[in-house]
Amino acid sequence: TTASTSLQSTVEGVSATDFNSKLEAQLEKMASKDASSTALSKEDIKVIFEDEHIIVVDKPAGVLCVPNKANDPSLSQAVFDAYGNESNRADKMVVHRLGMDTSGVVVFARTDAALKGMNTAFRNRSVTRSYEALVCGSIEEAEGVINMPLMRDAAYPPYMRVSTDDQQRALMGLTVED
């Protein structure tokens, strides 16, 4: 028995069947919410900055940043439809994303060179991002850091998930032998 088999059979004392049932219910809830994503017209898009290389927009809450499997309305598709890009592909504009309920500034690439440069900047952590949140309840610390590697959830795009060591090994083509 491998470590991954034992992890699949029980998660914090919850059976795999119960866990999968709860996961499916949560995924259905998220899919229903995604379906409510607001479609944007060119007039709805608030451009903060634009040049021949990038376009920076103010993303409203309630809009998916990128399409999901059901292809519900998204900001990236609206920006592509309104402004286009060099490669003539909406997926070649996405530099970074914000969650559906999050509002904020999103940068889209209009050229392949800008996409490559921005991807490199984000990958090398040359870009500083800051977030503000309205929180209900009590917070013990005045500030803190959440430092966990994230990756795209291939099974449930456009969601992200915490990237575990095993997933990183799989991404690099490595396997762990007992």
Side-chain angles (χ1 to χ4, degrees):
T1 308
T2 65
S4 61
T5 303
S6 63
L7 281 175
Q8 290 173 0
S9 63
T10 179
V11 176
E12 294 184 23
V14 177
S15 73
T17 304
D18 289 345
F19 178 81
N20 287 334
S21 175
K22 289 178 182 179
L23 175 63
E24 289 302 318
Q26 186 63 26
L27 290 171
E28 285 178 26
K29 183 178 175 182
M30 290 188 303
S32 174
K33 183 171 185 155
D34 286 357
S36 71
S37 180
T38 305
L40 300 175
S41 67
K42 184 172 183 174
E43 293 75 31
D44 295 325
I45 300 170
K46 295 179 183 163
V47 176
I48 297 170
F49 175 82
E50 175 185 7
D51 67 14
E52 65 273 12
H53 302 287
I54 63 171
I55 184 164
V56 181
V57 301
D58 182 7
K59 178 198 167 300
V63 178
L64 286 170
C65 214
V66 296
N68 57 6
K69 283 185 176 181
N71 209 28
D72 290 316
S74 67
L75 179 64
S76 63
Q77 188 63 52
V79 170
F80 174 75
D81 291 344
Y83 298 95
N85 67 355
E86 179 180 80
S87 66
N88 203 28
R89 289 181 47 188
D91 63 320
K92 295 292 185 183
M93 292 185 82
V94 179
V95 173
H96 69 103
R97 308 179 299 185
L98 294 175
M100 182 174 170
D101 291 331
T102 305
S103 62
V105 176
V106 180
V107 179
F108 292 97
R110 298 180 80 181
T111 64
D112 294 340
L115 180 64
K116 183 177 179 181
M118 294 295 289
N119 282 341
T120 299
F122 274 85
R123 187 173 34 258
N124 293 339
R125 298 181 181 250
S126 302
V127 176
T128 302
R129 296 183 255 185
S130 63
Y131 299 86
E132 292 184 15
L134 178 60
V135 179
C136 295
S138 174
I139 298 182
E140 293 180 21
E141 302 292 328
E143 60 183 55
V145 174
I146 299 172
N147 185 7
M148 301 177 82
L150 297 178
M151 62 182 278
R152 185 179 182 111
D153 190 332
Y156 305 105
Y159 302 115
M160 302 294 284
R161 66 181 306 144
V162 173
S163 178
T164 65
D165 287 340
D166 287 341
Q167 290 163 329
Q168 289 297 323
R169 285 186 198 99
L171 288 172
M172 296 184 313
L174 302 176
T175 57
V176 176
E177 296 180 17
D178 291 327

